[in-house]
Amino acid sequence: TDTDELLICEGKDKQFGVRLSAPPQEQVTAAVRLTKGDSDISVESGGSLIFTPSDWNVFRYVTLHAAEDNDTMDGQAALVIEANGLSSLNMAAKEHDSTDDTPPEIAISGISDGQVIVGTVVIVATITDDDGIIQLVRLYIDGTPIETSTSAIYKYEWNTTGVAPGQHKIKIVAYDMCGQPCEKEITVTVLGASLTNG
């Protein structure tokens, strides 16, 4: 699988990939099923996966669903992936309770709102969340997406050589594991190169 443990937000779906570790002699059908744990977690699609000798190493995707419930507990379930003649594989799925409505927070350092910039600066964004899991961080400059990351401490070296002089907006958008967004934007001024006589 492409992950050892799957985290699913309550009321949402989450996918994981499955492939074989070696080419089979003939077509293989693998079954994905829950063996124990929270009954709110279910296999939404991909419960039966077919692999052939020619595409055994291509991921097939399984979708799990975590139904909403009335408790405030993070449920867990165990899954097994098995096929005749092959070693089975066990993995865990964890439901994150939807009572967490707190989005992540972003702190930008290395550059500040209103700063005048010449040359290269390092933009540092520190993202914090009560779960400690950041799904995605994206940097925008003047509304254009520049780079994405999943790191809670994100760094980008911005070389302003060749950037038009004047004001520019830098925005960081971050999403926690349940997709709750947070964003922070600052405006900086880039100075162009000056020409002198002599």
Side-chain angles (χ1 to χ4, degrees), residues 20-35:
L20 302 185
S21 59
Q25 296 297 314
E26 56 187 8
Q27 179 175 296
V28 170
T29 300
V32 182
R33 61 184 179 87
L34 294 162
T35 58

Side-chain angles (χ1 to χ4, degrees), residues 39 79 125:
S39 60
L79 294 93

Side-chain angles (χ1 to χ4, degrees), residues 96 98-105 128-131 176-178 180-182:
H96 178 71
S98 63
T99 55
D100 170 28
D101 294 323
T102 306
E105 295 182 355
T128 55
D129 186 70
D130 52 356
D131 291 309
D176 67 9
M177 65 166 289
C178 290
Q180 297 180 110
C182 179

Side-chain angles (χ1 to χ4, degrees), residues 15-112:
Q15 285 188 329
F16 68 94
V18 180
R19 65 184 180 187
L20 302 185
S21 59
Q25 296 297 314
E26 56 187 8
Q27 179 175 296
V28 170
T29 300
V32 182
R33 61 184 179 87
L34 294 162
T35 58
K36 61 181 179 180
D38 193 339
S39 60
D40 290 329
I41 299 174
S42 61
V43 179
E44 187 79 1
S45 64
S48 180
L49 307 171
I50 297 175
F51 300 90
T52 70
S54 63
D55 63 3
W56 58 274
N57 58 347
V58 178
F59 277 116
R60 309 294 196 275
Y61 288 93
V62 179
T63 301
L64 300 185
H65 178 73
E68 293 197 27
D69 53 34
N70 295 323
D71 64 44
T72 58
M73 303 294 292
D74 289 342
Q76 297 189 59
L79 294 93
V80 64
I81 307 165
E82 52 193 357
N84 289 336
L86 300 181
S87 300
S88 61
L89 179 66
N90 296 301
M91 67 177 296
K94 182 179 179 181
E95 169 216 39
H96 178 71
D97 196 272
S98 63
T99 55
D100 170 28
D101 294 323
T102 306
E105 295 182 355
I106 301 170
I108 297 177
S109 58
I111 190 171
S112 58

Side-chain angles (χ1 to χ4, degrees), residues 110-121 158 160 166-167 187-192:
I111 190 171
S112 58
D113 191 43
Q115 183 174 335
V116 176
I117 298 170
V118 178
T120 299
V121 294
W158 186 29
T160 64
Q167 289 192 333
T187 300
V188 297
T189 300
V190 173
L191 291 185

